[in-house]
């Protein structure tokens, strides 16, 4: 395992569940494979299964990392070359145009591990150092075709987002923090799955971390069960100025969403706090503040937190319903082209869990499996930019 991968944990075995036994590598899973996380979740009871993990389970366990083989890269090179020769606009490229005979089924398997297993996957070795920007975008778009449908990530309609410091003012309530060098608090994104491809690192800082929101849920039940009903009630979230036509600049959604035998967690405390700028939004209570403080404390604890410094060519894949992620503040290079740079995909897989109507506001007006998620404002036009804007 690369020394870049660092999993922080505590030897508090009373909090740990057994490492899930896997009879096959993650990439051998398919959409029809039996899931390890199919146990019914009853409201206000602990979640079991591989998605409710603790950091100790992966401190010396590299099963979540897959290094692309030379054969994988050769297939990727051939698919990228075919797209380049076709002259197609990348967002019109389909899976039939991007043939990956052996790598493709592996990518589907990784999606299924993220969707129904532990909830995260790391893929290393995309040759971004020798690809042009257009080739890198094509390769990443091609990966996404094996995971599902790419959805819009902002009011500009970006289907591939650029995570880069654009000198936007983090104090502006409408600033999305991914366009700054400031730390991003624990959150999940507005899609079923999020993927990040690293192109360049910062001069210093920018550590990526993630935790299981299922384990956070379980710990809140154990430590402060009185706060669990607060988390299961609606919370107001700010839209940061990205307001769909006919909607308010805020909406409501619970943190803990129990639905049809499952639990989906939606959390982003800075969006809750920002909602308070609207006079007609109810004020956060002492219980809300206590719940946020405890949630953040648990998610960032050594017992739950996994840390990894993404390297160029690394792809991180996360389930937004069962996992949380964050990024540390960083110092960047002065030259714009040398700045820390990641590409992001928000994915709606063709197979997924059902979601309650509470997700309509945050999922672009739809909870239809395979056609949900993302930000859709009046006049937005889906696009795949080559550079951050």
């Amino acid at each position: 395992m690369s020394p870049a991968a660092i999993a922080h944990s505590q030897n508090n075995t009373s909090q740990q569940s057994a490492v899930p036994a896997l009879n096959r590598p993650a990439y051998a899973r398919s959409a029809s494979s039996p899931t390890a996380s199919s146990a019914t979740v009853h409201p206000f009871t602990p979640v079991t299964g591989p998605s409710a993990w603790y950091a100790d389970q992966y401190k010396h366990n590299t099963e979540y990392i897959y290094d692309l083989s030379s054969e994988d890269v050769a297939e990727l090179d051939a698919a990228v070359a075919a797209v380049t020769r076709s002259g197609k606009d990348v967002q019109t490229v389909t899976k039939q145009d991007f043939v990956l005979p052996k790598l493709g089924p592996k990518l589907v398997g990784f999606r299924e591990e993220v969707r129904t297993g532990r909830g995260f996957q790391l893929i290393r070795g995309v040759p971004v150092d020798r690809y042009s920007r257009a080739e890198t975008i094509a390769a990443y778009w091609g990966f996404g075709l094996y995971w599902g449908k790419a959805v819009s990530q902002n009011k500009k309609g970006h289907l591939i987002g650029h995570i880069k410091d654009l000198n936007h003012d983090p104090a502006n309530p409408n600033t999305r923090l991914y366009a700054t060098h400031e730390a991003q608090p624990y959150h999940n994104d507005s899609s079923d799955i999020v993927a990040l491809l690293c192109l360049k690192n910062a001069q210093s800082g920018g550590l990526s971390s993630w935790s299981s929101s299922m384990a956070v849920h379980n710990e809140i039940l154990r430590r402060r069960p009185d706060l669990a009903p607060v988390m299961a009630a609606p919370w107001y979230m700010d839209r940061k100025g990205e307001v769909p036509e006919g909607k308010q600049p805020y909406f409501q959604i619970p943190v803990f969403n129990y639905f049809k035998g499952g639990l989906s967690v939606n959390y982003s405390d800075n969006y809750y706090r920002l909602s308070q700028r609207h006079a007609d939004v109810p004020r956060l209570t002492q219980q809300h503040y206590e719940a946020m403080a405890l949630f953040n404390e648990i998610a960032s604890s050594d017992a739950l937190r996994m840390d990894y410094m993404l390297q160029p060519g690394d792809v991180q894949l996360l389930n937004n319903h069962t996992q949380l992620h964050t990024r540390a503040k960083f110092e960047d290079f002065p030259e714009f082209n040398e700045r820390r740079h990641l590409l992001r995909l928000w994915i709606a897989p063709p197979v997924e869990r059902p979601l309650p109507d509470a997700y309509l506001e945050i999922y672009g007006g739809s909870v239809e499996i395979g056609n949900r998620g993302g930000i859709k404002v009046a006049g937005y036009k889906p696009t795949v930019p080559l550079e951050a804007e």
Side-chain angles (χ1 to χ4, degrees):
M1 182 176 179
S2 165
I6 315 164
H8 292 282
S9 61
Q10 294 177 337
N11 293 322
N12 185 355
T13 55
S14 66
Q15 297 180 11
Q16 312 303 312
S17 57
V19 176
L22 296 177
N23 297 321
R24 58 199 184 285
Y27 61 76
R29 294 194 176 204
S30 69
S32 60
S33 298
T35 69
S37 57
S38 57
T40 298
V41 177
H42 298 285
F44 309 117
T45 60
V47 176
T48 60
S51 64
W53 52 266
Y54 286 78
D56 254 3
Q57 295 173 220
Y58 295 100
K59 184 177 181 180
H60 302 295
N61 182 346
T62 61
E63 70 179 27
Y64 69 93
I65 298 175
Y66 178 76
D67 291 304
L68 294 175
S69 67
S70 57
E71 184 179 30
D72 294 330
V73 174
E75 283 192 4
L76 186 60
D77 286 346
V80 169
V83 167
T84 302
R85 287 194 303 270
S86 75
K88 282 190 170 186
D89 186 325
V90 70
Q91 69 188 81
T92 69
V93 171
T94 67
K95 189 159 66 172
Q96 289 67 41
D97 300 319
F98 205 88
V99 181
L100 299 172
K102 294 184 178 179
L103 177 57
K106 295 177 185 179
L107 295 175
V108 173
F110 296 141
R111 182 199 70 199
E112 290 304 288
E113 178 60 48
V114 166
R115 192 179 69 82
T116 68
R118 63 180 166 264
F120 64 94
Q121 177 70 40
L122 185 69
I123 304 165
R124 302 192 298 201
V126 178
V128 297
D129 56 336
R130 62 177 175 81
Y131 281 171
S132 68
R133 178 60 55 77
E135 289 171 332
T136 298
I137 293 283
Y140 197 39
W141 180 263
F143 272 28
L145 294 172
Y146 286 85
W147 294 330
K149 176 184 176 182
V151 298
S152 171
Q153 301 176 30
N154 53 31
K155 62 186 178 183
K156 295 181 179 180
H158 292 174
L159 299 179
I160 290 183
H162 292 260
I163 312 302
K164 192 169 186 175
D165 183 10
L166 298 179
N167 299 321
H168 290 182
D169 180 7
N172 183 328
N174 289 337
T175 292
R176 300 275 298 277
L177 289 177
Y178 70 78
T180 77
H181 64 272
E182 292 296 327
Q184 287 188 284
Y186 273 95
H187 66 285
N188 51 266
D189 291 356
S190 301
S191 62
D192 293 308
I193 288 175
V194 59
L196 295 168
L197 167 62
C198 180
L199 303 185
K200 288 183 179 293
N201 279 328
Q203 188 170 22
S204 64
L207 182 71
S208 295
S209 302
W210 68 98
S211 300
S212 164
S213 57
M214 302 295 99
V216 173
H217 164 270
N218 292 350
E219 286 297 309
I220 288 176
L221 292 180
R222 185 177 71 85
R223 301 186 196 185
R224 288 288 305 274
D226 60 302
L227 292 179
V230 178
M231 305 299 270
W235 288 56
Y236 283 86
M237 294 189 74
D238 193 272
R239 293 189 191 271
K240 288 202 168 187
E242 297 179 311
V243 184
E245 189 172 9
K247 296 293 186 178
Q248 297 291 332
Y250 53 82
F251 60 92
Q252 297 180 67
I253 184 173
V255 177
F256 294 164
N257 293 272
Y258 301 103
F259 187 66
K260 293 188 175 181
L263 169 65
S264 299
V265 171
N266 185 81
Y267 184 81
S268 189
D269 67 343
N270 64 325
Y271 283 74
Y272 306 140
R273 297 174 193 275
L274 281 171
S275 75
Q276 300 296 281
R277 64 179 168 146
H278 306 291
D280 46 353
V281 170
R283 300 302 90 182
L284 291 166
T285 67
Q286 182 62 33
Q287 280 193 314
H288 285 117
Y289 287 110
E290 289 179 10
M292 287 187 286
L294 181 60
F295 193 104
N296 294 336
E297 175 190 335
I298 294 170
S300 61
S301 68
D302 289 345
L304 269 73
R305 193 187 74 249
M306 294 276 285
D307 293 338
Y308 189 92
M309 184 63 78
L310 292 170
Q311 302 298 318
D314 289 350
V315 178
Q316 181 190 57
L317 201 60
L318 292 166
N319 183 328
N320 278 315
H321 304 304
T322 67
Q323 312 296 308
L324 306 151
H325 59 283
T326 184
R327 181 201 73 200
K329 183 177 180 178
F330 59 88
E331 296 296 328
D332 231 331
F333 295 98
E335 300 85 2
F336 184 79
N337 289 338
E338 296 302 316
R339 290 184 178 182
R340 182 183 188 270
H341 195 172
L342 282 71
L343 299 181
R344 181 175 62 195
L345 281 167
W346 282 0
I347 295 292
V351 286
E352 252 301 348
R353 64 179 60 202
L355 291 174
D357 285 348
Y359 275 81
L360 286 169
E361 294 287 351
I362 198 171
Y363 269 41
S366 173
V367 291
E368 177 190 354
I369 292 171
N371 188 37
R372 66 191 189 191
I375 296 169
K376 300 172 183 177
V377 301
Y380 90 100
K381 183 180 179 181
T383 183
V384 180
L386 291 179
E387 184 51 84
E389 56 182 30

